[in-house]
Amino acid sequence: MTEAALKAFVAKVELRFGPAFGPGPADLRDLGEDLLRLCRKLDFNQLDLPEAGPGQEFLHHLAVSPLGGPSLYLVSEGPGVTSPPHEHQTWAVIVGIRGCEINTRFERQDVGSRQVVAVESVSVGPGQLLLLSPEQIHATAVLGERATFHLHLYGKALHTLPPFKSRCFDSVSAA
Ligand SMILES: [Fe+2]
């Protein structure tokens, strides 16, 4: 039930938004709220997917588009896991299921610069939503001792994106 409901949701998103045609800000907000509403009705224990241990990171494929379009993953990150500032180059909707993740948003120092400055941090815990536009830059860190379970819906399948390292930035202190 849970997996089928999530796959059906992604199939609907894919009909509406392909790899080349993403949602605008209002559509992204609606889409995120729809996914959040669906998640409230689902039992994620039914998926029976393993939680990451300390320092581990698991990427469970829930609905990956064969055409490289909108795709859904369940990400589990263990205590202590962090990611450097990076962009996705596609839109993203993140919904917290278990555990808590700190998301820090960065801005480029100058147009085209690979050096970025932290702007704000928000925590994404169970039942909370984070929306990212294709050009937004963020970094993540697991908060506390509990592994996270977060749903990540991306506008493009992850295997179609440029390598992660090429989407990373250098964090510098504000001048
Ligand atoms: Fe990310």
Side-chain angles (χ1 to χ4, degrees), residues 92-103:
V93 172
I94 296 166
V95 175
I97 307 295
R98 280 184 219 155
C100 194
E101 185 176 89
I102 295 288
N103 268 267

Side-chain angles (χ1 to χ4, degrees), residues 58-104:
F58 295 160
L59 181 72
H60 301 296
H61 295 202
L62 292 181
V64 177
S65 162
L67 301 174
S71 296
L72 182 69
Y73 305 84
L74 185 70
V75 178
S76 182
E77 291 183 338
V81 171
T82 61
S83 70
H86 62 276
E87 63 183 355
H88 301 113
Q89 299 181 4
T90 186
W91 56 267
V93 172
I94 296 166
V95 175
I97 307 295
R98 280 184 219 155
C100 194
E101 185 176 89
I102 295 288
N103 268 267
T104 304

Side-chain angles (χ1 to χ4, degrees), residues 122-143:
V122 292
S123 69
V124 183
Q128 290 180 310
L129 180 64
L130 182 75
L131 307 170
L132 294 166
S133 63
E135 64 286 347
Q136 265 182 351
I137 299 165
H138 81 145
T140 62
V142 176
L143 183 66

